[in-house]
Amino acid sequence: MAEPVSDPNTKYKVGKVLSRYDLLDLHAALPEMWVGESGDSKSLRDLADEINTAVLRRAMERAGSDPLDGEAENAYQLLTGDGVSAGVRTQQRNRLERDGVDVEQLEDDFVTHQAVYTYLTKALEVSKDTADDADPLEKHEKRIQRLRSRTVAVTENSVSELKAAGDLSLGSFDVSVDIRVYCQECQTQYDLTDLLRAGGCDCD
């Protein structure tokens, strides 16, 4: 399993959509959400629904709305749910259009579970089938790297939004996250990656 790229790969639809709607935190989280730990992984359909709901929420926000908790999820269900009548679906489309959402563009940006699979396996080179066979140290190193990438993406997104809104005075910036482990026995501090790749510290 390869480490995820820091930015969405816009050669693929999922990458284009995540980039277009500034969903960098979700992009960084996708590999972990799919592979996860035992019992914690999400299906491709669940991931597609999560991406589409996030896209809908961001479209509502950009149109000037401030969606309440669960509002975007409910709107997405009314737009795409199998048991939703054509009349109810049309009412939801009209409601979004009145609020300034380009529903036609929105629905064109919705992704399928097949597109999510292609993005994970081709663009991000994530392999769920081989995750359990990986070397334990390598497996955990990659898991932590994914979480670190997510932290960087979320921080960059938050700082950029605060800066754009005028709430934070800051020039050009970069975000980095260093993880260190301190061994109390030999009183030595290690970079996490170096520690894992070395297989341990200098304690006997």
Side-chain angles (χ1 to χ4, degrees):
M1 183 190 305
E3 294 177 14
V5 294
S6 58
D7 297 311
N9 187 331
T10 55
K11 293 181 180 180
Y12 298 81
K13 179 176 181 179
V14 172
K16 289 179 181 178
V17 169
L18 292 171
S19 178
R20 181 178 300 141
Y21 289 87
D22 296 323
L23 298 172
L24 300 183
D25 52 343
L26 181 54
H27 166 261
L30 281 179
E32 178 67 19
M33 292 168 69
W34 187 41
V35 175
E37 295 297 310
S38 57
D40 293 334
S41 62
K42 292 190 175 184
S43 70
L44 293 167
R45 292 185 185 277
D46 287 341
L47 290 178
D49 288 341
E50 185 142 351
I51 292 172
N52 293 337
T53 301
V55 165
L56 175 54
R57 183 182 300 108
R58 185 56 54 85
M60 295 169 71
E61 292 171 348
R62 288 179 173 178
S65 298
D66 185 15
L68 302 173
D69 289 344
E71 186 175 352
E73 287 79 0
N74 182 62
Y76 177 67
Q77 174 62 28
L78 294 178
L79 281 178
T80 64
D82 293 335
V84 178
S85 68
V88 171
R89 200 182 310 276
T90 299
Q91 288 178 358
Q92 182 59 52
R93 285 175 56 88
N94 292 340
R95 187 177 301 115
L96 288 171
E97 289 174 349
R98 285 196 303 269
D99 290 339
V101 175
D102 185 341
V103 178
E104 185 174 343
Q105 178 65 58
L106 173 69
E107 293 181 331
D108 186 59
D109 287 335
F110 282 164
V111 301
T112 64
H113 71 279
Q114 293 96 334
V116 175
Y117 177 77
T118 298
Y119 189 67
L120 284 165
T121 58
K122 302 297 184 183
L124 303 186
E125 299 182 3
V126 178
S127 174
K128 190 171 184 178
D129 294 336
T130 59
D132 293 336
D133 299 329
D135 175 83
L137 290 175
E138 181 181 359
K139 175 183 175 182
H140 284 279
E141 178 186 356
K142 290 179 177 178
R143 177 171 182 262
I144 294 169
Q145 292 286 13
R146 287 196 299 271
L147 294 174
R148 177 156 54 186
S149 296
R150 181 181 182 185
T151 299
V152 169
V154 171
T155 303
E156 287 178 340
N157 193 41
S158 295
V159 171
S160 295
E161 288 184 3
L162 290 169
K163 181 180 174 182
D167 296 322
L168 181 66
S169 178
L170 181 69
S172 299
F173 68 92
D174 292 310
V175 175
S176 63
V177 175
D178 293 324
I179 302 177
R180 297 186 173 275
V181 178
Y182 180 76
C183 177
Q184 296 180 350
E185 296 297 326
C186 61
Q187 298 183 350
T188 306
Q189 183 172 263
Y190 299 89
D191 174 81
L192 176 63
T193 298
D194 292 341
L195 178 66
L196 292 177
R197 292 180 179 178
C201 66
D202 294 331
C203 290
D204 293 331

